[in-house]
Amino acid sequence: MKKVLVSLCMAGALVALSSCRSSKDAATLSSISGEWNIIEINGAAVVPAPNQEFPFIGFDTTTGKVFGNSGCNRMMGSFDVNAKPGTIDLGAMASTRMACPDMTLEQNVLSALGQVKKYKKLGKENIALCGSSNRPIIVLQKKAPTVKLSDLSGKWMISEAGGQAIPEGMEKQPFIEFNLSEKRIHGNAGCNLINGGFVADNENSSAISFPQLISTMMACPDMEVEGRVMKALNEVKSFGKLAGGGIGLYDADNTLVMVLVKK
């Protein structure tokens, strides 16, 4: 009987249960850094509905930010990077509010995350998220990045900023161009030229920001579009591929603030 139990513990939730209760393979904060697929919830394998995204969660262990997708909506939150190693509280997760045909998986993901109090290494590749009673709730598997900084290379037209479409036929159509080797952008906001650097994050492949943008100071008859473009760029914290093509730029609340389409 003991041999059978040992073999069962090598797969699925039983191995998570063992890991959550023991001090073996204790996890440091750095061990959860990056993006992870959610492959198991309460002992059951995660199987997304057709055409739904596989749920994942990411941890920025420098800032304490949490990000990801619960199967339909983007989710975001924070955790205490100074908490005791092996402990984490994900009870304050928020998400966008898009409706999908099947919301069951999303509800299960958010419910499970709300119960998480601890984390443990699960072998060499996985992480177990556990409840206060040491019960394994979620199993995570390292996620291959879905977006890369190289996806931004080249010139992009700005088709939407601040939730509004950019009018066609402008004398100076807004665009930005990424120089990845120099970590700089160049473009036009609708009237003035814009230049500056960008900041990416090795731990979060989708993170990007533009902290030091500068522009020329020419006045144009209508500065409304330029105002929206500059405001959106100053708010950007992440990017992602859009289902219909192009790139979406998002603010700290994961709100879409700009849409880029390849020129």
Side-chain angles (χ1 to χ4, degrees):
M1 181 65 182
K2 184 178 293 185
K3 290 183 178 179
V4 174
L5 180 58
V6 169
S7 65
L8 287 174
C9 285
M10 295 305 293
L14 286 180
V15 81
L17 181 60
S18 174
S19 179
C20 287
R21 285 181 170 174
S22 70
S23 59
K24 185 180 179 180
D25 290 330
T28 59
L29 186 62
S30 61
S31 67
I32 66 171
S33 178
E35 299 180 1
W36 302 81
N37 282 324
I38 298 173
I39 63 170
E40 187 177 300
I41 299 175
N42 292 320
V46 170
V47 182
N51 300 319
Q52 274 192 265
E53 185 172 348
F54 205 93
F56 77 93
I57 189 168
F59 301 96
D60 186 331
T61 54
T62 300
T63 64
K65 296 293 185 183
V66 184
F67 55 94
N69 189 294
S70 50
C72 174
N73 285 282
R74 293 165 66 90
M75 58 184 182
M76 66 293 296
S78 62
F79 64 96
D80 183 3
V81 296
N82 297 312
K84 181 181 176 181
T87 65
I88 190 168
D89 188 337
L90 301 176
M93 297 292 290
S95 69
T96 52
R97 297 183 177 275
M98 183 174 65
C100 292
D102 185 356
M103 302 294 287
T104 303
L105 176 57
E106 172 151 311
Q107 292 164 1
N108 290 341
V109 168
L110 294 176
S111 175
L113 287 173
Q115 303 172 52
V116 170
K117 300 298 179 184
K118 302 176 184 179
Y119 58 91
K120 285 281 189 178
K121 291 174 66 176
L122 197 57
K124 294 182 178 180
E125 298 181 355
N126 296 348
I127 292 289
L129 300 182
C130 313
S132 56
S133 62
N134 288 319
R135 181 175 65 85
I137 298 172
I138 291 174
V139 176
L140 305 177
Q141 184 178 69
K142 200 68 176 180
K143 178 179 183 291
T146 55
V147 291
K148 307 180 293 297
L149 193 60
S150 59
D151 293 330
L152 296 176
S153 180
K155 184 174 182 178
W156 299 82
M157 303 308 296
I158 301 173
S159 66
E160 183 179 310
Q164 298 182 46
I166 301 297
E168 296 182 1
M170 294 180 60
E171 182 178 351
K172 297 179 180 179
Q173 208 70 28
F175 76 92
I176 56 176
E177 185 169 2
F178 291 83
N179 184 327
L180 300 185
S181 62
E182 297 181 6
K183 290 191 173 182
R184 297 190 62 80
I185 67 167
H186 163 76
N188 191 294
C191 174
N192 286 281
L193 295 175
I194 50 177
N195 289 282
F198 65 83
V199 176
D201 188 338
N202 291 332
E203 291 189 351
N204 177 1
S205 62
S206 64
I208 194 168
S209 59
F210 309 102
Q212 297 179 333
L213 291 180
I214 59 174
S215 68
T216 53
M217 303 293 288
M218 184 172 63
C220 294
D222 184 0
M223 301 291 287
E224 187 271 336
V225 170
E226 175 152 316
R228 282 196 286 118
V229 168
M230 294 303 295
K231 182 177 185 296
L233 286 172
N234 287 327
E235 294 173 344
V236 169
K237 298 298 181 185
S238 65
F239 71 98
K241 293 181 180 179
L242 297 174
I247 293 290
L249 302 181
Y250 301 86
D251 65 12
D253 295 323
N254 276 319
T255 299
L256 181 66
V257 294
M258 182 171 286
V259 175
L260 307 179
V261 293
K262 201 69 174 179
K263 180 176 172 60

